[in-house]
Amino acid sequence: MFNIESLSYGHGHSLLFDRFSARAQEPGVYGLFGPNGSGKSTLLKLMSGLLTPWSGRCEVLGYVPRDRDPVFLAQVYLVPEEFHLPDLTPLRLMNDHAGLYPRFSASHYSDYLSALDVPTKIRFSAMSLGQKKKAVMAFALATQTPILLMDEPTNGLDIVSRSAFKRLLRQSEQQERLIIISTHQAHDLESVLTHLWFIGQGRLILNVAMENLAQCLLMGAANAEELIARHAQGQATIYQEPLGQQVAYVAARSVWQPDHLFQGSEHNAAHSIQMELLYKAMSFNPEGILRALSLFTHQGAVIKQTSLPGSVA
C-alpha cells in the first residue's frame, strides 16, 4: 500500500531522515511512535504529498505523493495535529467537501458525529476545540479513503470521547483501510493497534505486528524476587522502573517458555502489550527489544514485519 526507500529529508541544513525506509502491504492500524523531533508529523506530510523528499523514493498506492495527482488525493486523507475549519456546520462541511472523496459515506458520517456527540447544526466558530476535532475525525473516518493518516487524534479529547473514537476504529468498515496514527498518548490506542512503528535517529527502528510483540515480550509488575525467578527461567529484563512496592518491567520471553508458568493475577497482563512501558523500553534500551525479536526469529518462531537497524520489513 506504500513503499518508502532510502528517503532523505530535513529542515534547512539539518537532516531529519537519513536513508529512511519502510513499507506496508496490508491494512491495519499502525501506531507511529518516537521522541519529540523524530519526524512523525513530517513523515505523514511526506506521505500525503505536502512535503517533497530531498532524495529517495516515496510511493503510496502506486503514486508519488508530491505529484498531487487528483486520483491519489481522493484516496488519502490527513488529519493534522493543528487544523483550521471554515465557519460552517458539520452538515454543510459534508455538502461542500464530501464530493472530493468518491467513497464518502453520509450515513457513516451521521453515525460518527452522533457517537462522538458532535452537534450537527452549530457552526464551528461556536464549538470548543475538542468538538471541532471530533467533527474532523468523523469526516476523516467517513471518507473511506484506503489510506488515513492522523496526527495526535486524541489530544484534547475527554475520556468518553477517546473511548468512542477507539470503538469507531474497530468497526467493520474501517478494517480494509491502512490507518497510521502518530501519537504520544500511547495508552489510549494500545487496544486497537495492529502494528507498531518506532522511529528515531532518522530511521525506522522498529516495525512489527502487535501480535508478534506479545510472543516475544512479557510486561507487568512484580517484586524483586519474582524478577530474579523470571531471569532464571531465561527471561532477561529489558527495562524496569519502580511501581509502588513493586517493579514494572519489560522482559524478553524465551521461545521455549511454557505459557503455564507464572500463572496468577498478572499472567494475562504479562501477555498484553502495555504501550507506555514499551515506549520507555524502546527509548532507553532499543537494543534489548530488537534482541528479543531477533531471538524469536533465529529460533524458528514466525515474526512478521520486524525491522532491525539498517533493514526494511
Side-chain angles (χ1 to χ4, degrees):
M1 301 185 76
F2 74 85
N3 185 34
I4 300 172
E5 293 182 1
S6 299
L7 183 144
S8 295
Y9 181 81
H11 303 289
H13 297 290
S14 176
L15 188 63
L16 181 60
F17 292 128
D18 181 18
R19 299 184 301 279
F20 184 96
S21 296
R23 70 168 62 100
Q25 297 175 314
E26 61 186 67
V29 182
Y30 290 66
L32 178 59
F33 296 91
N36 290 333
S38 59
K40 299 183 297 297
S41 299
T42 298
L43 181 62
L44 298 184
K45 292 177 181 178
L46 286 164
M47 293 180 62
S48 60
L50 294 178
L51 296 174
T52 305
W54 287 359
S55 63
R57 177 183 178 189
C58 180
E59 289 186 356
V60 179
L61 299 173
Y63 295 87
V64 176
R66 193 54 176 165
D67 289 347
R68 307 289 287 172
D69 187 297
V71 178
F72 166 77
L73 295 176
Q75 299 183 76
V76 176
Y77 196 91
L78 169 66
V79 179
E81 182 177 10
E82 297 182 3
F83 57 89
H84 301 279
L85 288 170
D87 192 17
L88 305 173
T89 66
L91 294 181
R92 181 63 185 274
L93 179 71
M94 178 185 69
N95 293 335
D96 287 359
H97 295 277
L100 298 172
Y101 303 96
R103 303 183 187 186
F104 190 92
S105 171
S107 61
H108 285 324
Y109 183 51
S110 177
D111 291 342
Y112 300 156
L113 290 173
S114 177
L116 294 169
D117 196 25
V118 179
T120 59
K121 298 180 180 180
I122 298 178
R123 289 179 175 270
F124 292 124
S125 59
M127 291 187 186
S128 67
L129 177 60
Q131 288 177 314
K132 288 187 282 190
K133 190 155 197 176
K134 290 188 289 186
V136 169
M137 292 194 297
F139 187 91
L141 292 171
T143 62
Q144 296 293 285
T145 54
I147 305 288
L148 175 58
L149 311 173
M150 310 185 85
D151 195 357
E152 297 289 357
T154 58
N155 273 6
L157 300 188
D158 58 42
I159 295 174
V160 173
S161 298
R162 292 179 181 182
S163 297
F165 175 61
K166 287 189 288 187
R167 287 196 298 271
L168 295 181
L169 286 178
R170 295 191 190 100
Q171 292 190 181
S172 59
E173 66 269 16
Q174 307 300 331
Q175 301 308 305
E176 297 305 314
R177 309 175 80 176
L178 190 152
I179 303 174
I180 301 179
I181 300 178
S182 169
T183 181
H184 285 292
Q185 307 299 322
H187 180 69
D188 280 351
L189 298 170
E190 62 189 13
S191 63
V192 298
L193 297 181
T194 60
H195 297 75
L196 173 69
W197 285 7
F198 196 97
I199 62 177
Q201 300 178 342
R203 303 289 183 90
L204 180 61
I205 301 174
L206 181 66
N207 175 11
V208 64
M210 293 292 286
E211 61 184 310
N212 296 145
L213 282 175
Q215 296 175 14
C216 303
L217 302 175
L218 289 167
M219 300 183 187
N223 58 41
E225 290 76 14
E226 288 173 325
L227 283 181
I228 293 173
R230 290 184 180 281
H231 192 273
Q233 295 292 332
Q235 300 171 4
T237 301
I238 298 170
Y239 173 79
Q240 65 183 60
E241 64 179 33
L243 183 65
Q245 299 299 313
Q246 294 185 306
V247 177
Y249 68 91
V250 178
R253 179 137 95 86
S254 61
V255 174
W256 53 266
Q257 184 67 49
D259 283 343
H260 69 272
L261 290 184
F262 301 108
Q263 293 283 356
S265 60
E266 62 138 2
H267 180 69
N268 291 332
H271 287 74
S272 67
I273 299 301
Q274 300 175 37
M275 286 304 306
E276 290 189 9
L277 270 177
L278 180 62
Y279 185 99
K280 292 175 182 177
M282 279 299 302
S283 298
F284 294 105
N285 188 9
E287 295 83 4
I289 298 293
L290 297 175
R291 193 179 304 116
L293 296 174
S294 179
L295 174 66
F296 262 66
T297 303
H298 292 160
Q299 296 194 21
V302 178
I303 298 296
K304 61 181 181 179
Q305 293 198 326
T306 301
S307 290
L308 300 181
S311 69
V312 182

